[in-house]
Amino acid sequence: MSANTFFTSASERKIAPMQNHTHKPDGTPVDNDRTEIGPTQQAFDEWDSDGLVLPNLKRMRSERLSRICNQLVIQNIPGVLLFDPINIRYATDCSNMQLWVTHNHCRACFISADGYVILWDFASCKHLSSHLPLINEVRSDASFFYFECGNRVTEHAKRFAGELDEVLKQHTGNANRIIAIDKIEIAGLQALQKLGIKVVDGQEPMELARSIKGIDEINAIRCAVNSCEKGVKAMHQHLKPGISENELWSVLHRENIRRGGEWIETRLLSSGPRTNPWYQECGPRIIQSGDIVSFDTDLIGVYGMCVDMSRTWICGDTKPNAEQKMLYQIAHEHISKNTALLQPGRSFIELSELSHRLPPVYRQQRYGIIYHGVGLCDEYPSIRYPEDVNKYGYDGTLEVGMVLSVEAYVGAVGGKYGVKLENQLLITENGPEVLTSYPFEDDFLN
């Protein structure tokens, strides 16, 4: 892989002119009535103005499937069955009621090691994937959870297991009675075991496949970051004394959706004394002049890509006080120094050991991790603080093509304030490239 893999010249960064009027710059059809979701014209216009390169979606989908198959071959697994909607989206790029399906497992996807793809979609939803030629078959009836099936759960799980058994015989051979599964209802697991099918972990091959991004995924993430930061800017402009936390947070939702983004995973925005301790989600509190406001986007944006960045602001026409500035400067130093450590080839344990140390007074309420992967959501790897390595940590190697977020929360136990800062970045052969560019606050840093 060349050193220029993730970089383009100024002339190349401009969206290429459309060759005709039938397709958008990312290869999707120009059709006002099309089925597939995606960016709005506002997003395309903004990316054009900002000189972004768009992803080639056809190539991106093919490369993702290839990475899954490669992991199956490496781990000697003949096929994987997916119920997690994020994994299904990664494997197929087909989206259907993503949040609802997260807690109602009515969709499934089988992928053989040689790339045969079967999608079980919700009833009467075959049209949602008609534009995706990598999906070889679309079926339905993968539901065996209680809300859907009541006291017939076992019956429907047995039926699905029998259907999957035939799929395995056809696409992996009679001798291969093994299937990797990312997550499954208990009744389904029991039904497969009764048929003598060995179930192994499907999360590992999927997380490892997802952890390395190709150039089109990286370009999709750049587009998502660009759109997210325009939403963050709009939120910043709306921050005035008298606005509620909820109303301020709603601005980010609106700006995300209007550009073709999809949802926000949390409600992590708090103000004033609610910034300490962290994880107080936004509520009806009225933000006042002089309050600090801390937030974490946790945003699923255009192309289903996650943008995970945090900033802290001051409300009103005022300057931060000495304590607010001190917390901010510690957090900024923390993520800056930890960003500089991100060189390909370093182990996760080494990163933990080398990481910048918060002053002792802030360690008890430290954030749960120093770094984590980002793709379609927060994902592998999760790299811990030194205090947490023995209990939760695991090793691995930082690789070119990984996208990470670097985190900091700084607030003392019983303190008045807490500051949250976070950047998203790409690991290149030359080290980290910060993808999130929304400026930090000079009033806090000077």
Side-chain angles (χ1 to χ4, degrees), residues 431-444:
E433 176 201 345
V434 178
L435 299 172
T436 44
S437 60
Y438 198 83
F440 293 105
E441 299 299 291
D442 288 339
D443 285 344
F444 281 90

Side-chain angles (χ1 to χ4, degrees), residues 105-158:
H105 291 164
C106 60
R107 305 177 78 218
C109 182
F110 168 81
I111 303 163
S112 69
D114 62 1
Y116 194 86
V117 180
I118 301 174
L119 175 66
W120 284 266
D121 214 331
F122 195 61
S124 304
C125 287
K126 290 185 177 182
H127 58 288
L128 296 181
S129 57
S130 60
H131 61 288
L132 298 168
L134 294 179
I135 300 174
N136 301 100
E137 297 181 44
V138 181
R139 306 183 183 187
S140 58
D141 297 328
S143 301
F144 41 90
F145 53 94
Y146 195 83
F147 158 49
E148 181 81 3
C149 303
N151 62 7
R152 299 178 66 184
V153 163
T154 301
E155 171 193 338
H156 286 285
K158 181 179 179 180

Side-chain angles (χ1 to χ4, degrees), residues 162-432:
E163 185 176 343
L164 182 65
D165 193 21
E166 292 302 313
V167 168
L168 290 176
K169 291 174 182 177
Q170 181 177 356
H171 294 287
T172 69
N174 288 323
N176 264 321
R177 306 283 289 163
I178 301 173
I179 185 72
I181 303 179
D182 60 353
K183 53 187 65 176
I184 189 171
E185 300 283 340
I186 292 173
L189 176 62
Q190 293 171 336
L192 291 170
Q193 291 172 334
K194 285 180 180 179
L195 292 176
I197 297 171
K198 181 181 179 181
V199 176
V200 299
D201 178 34
Q203 292 192 41
E204 180 180 354
M206 290 303 300
E207 289 281 355
L208 292 177
R210 286 163 46 188
S211 67
I212 306 298
K213 278 67 179 176
I215 186 60
D216 294 298
E217 287 177 289
I218 291 163
N219 285 336
I221 290 172
R222 293 187 196 277
C223 290
V225 168
N226 180 277
S227 292
C228 174
E229 291 192 332
K230 285 180 168 54
V232 168
K233 181 178 180 180
M235 190 165 61
H236 205 171
Q237 291 169 339
H238 277 77
L239 175 58
K240 294 178 175 59
I243 193 172
S244 73
E245 293 174 352
N246 283 336
E247 184 178 356
L248 183 61
W249 192 238
S250 74
V251 175
L252 186 61
H253 280 266
R254 178 180 184 273
E255 297 300 316
N256 184 40
I257 297 298
R258 74 188 300 195
R259 290 171 171 83
E262 301 189 13
W263 73 87
I264 297 178
E265 300 237 82
T266 65
R267 294 165 54 94
L268 288 175
L269 179 147
S270 54
S271 63
R274 297 186 75 248
T275 59
N276 188 340
W278 187 239
Y279 288 116
Q280 299 185 61
E281 295 194 308
C282 66
R285 183 181 187 274
I286 302 302
I287 304 172
Q288 302 169 33
S289 180
D291 281 344
I292 61 169
V293 176
S294 297
F295 66 91
D296 189 335
T297 57
D298 289 321
L299 178 147
I300 309 302
V302 294
Y303 301 118
M305 289 299 189
C306 180
V307 183
D308 195 8
M309 59 175 287
S310 299
R311 294 292 186 266
T312 295
W313 300 325
I314 191 82
C315 178
D317 186 17
T318 186
K319 303 290 186 182
N321 63 37
E323 182 179 356
Q324 293 167 341
K325 291 176 69 171
M326 178 184 67
L327 297 174
Y328 194 102
Q329 289 168 15
I330 293 170
H332 186 266
E333 179 186 28
H334 194 62
I335 66 169
S336 298
K337 290 189 173 181
N338 286 334
T339 296
L341 297 174
L342 293 172
Q343 300 298 321
R346 275 201 163 137
S347 74
F348 302 163
I349 299 299
E350 182 183 9
L351 286 167
S352 294
E353 292 172 344
L354 294 173
S355 63
H356 176 259
R357 304 291 282 139
L358 292 172
V361 68
Y362 304 116
R363 292 180 190 173
Q364 184 172 336
Q365 292 193 151
R366 65 188 176 276
Y367 201 69
I369 49 181
I370 310 171
Y371 315 96
H372 65 81
V374 188
L376 293 174
C377 60
D378 290 359
E379 58 188 32
Y380 173 90
S382 177
I383 302 176
R384 304 283 178 170
Y385 281 93
E387 297 94 327
D388 304 317
V389 168
N390 286 340
K391 189 172 183 179
Y392 297 108
Y394 53 82
D395 211 355
T397 303
L398 206 60
E399 298 183 55
V400 171
M402 285 182 168
V403 174
L404 304 178
S405 280
V406 55
E407 306 252 16
Y409 173 75
V410 179
V413 174
K416 293 177 64 176
Y417 314 106
V419 166
K420 181 71 166 62
L421 296 179
E422 177 184 14
N423 266 338
Q424 189 164 318
L425 47 89
L426 167 69
I427 305 302
T428 77
E429 290 184 346
N430 299 317

Side-chain angles (χ1 to χ4, degrees), residues 58-75:
K58 180 179 179 181
R59 185 174 59 195
M60 182 183 79
R61 293 160 181 161
S62 179
E63 289 181 354
R64 283 175 168 175
L65 180 58
S66 294
R67 285 200 291 274
I68 295 172
C69 294
N70 185 53
Q71 282 297 323
L72 295 177
V73 170
I74 289 172
Q75 299 188 34

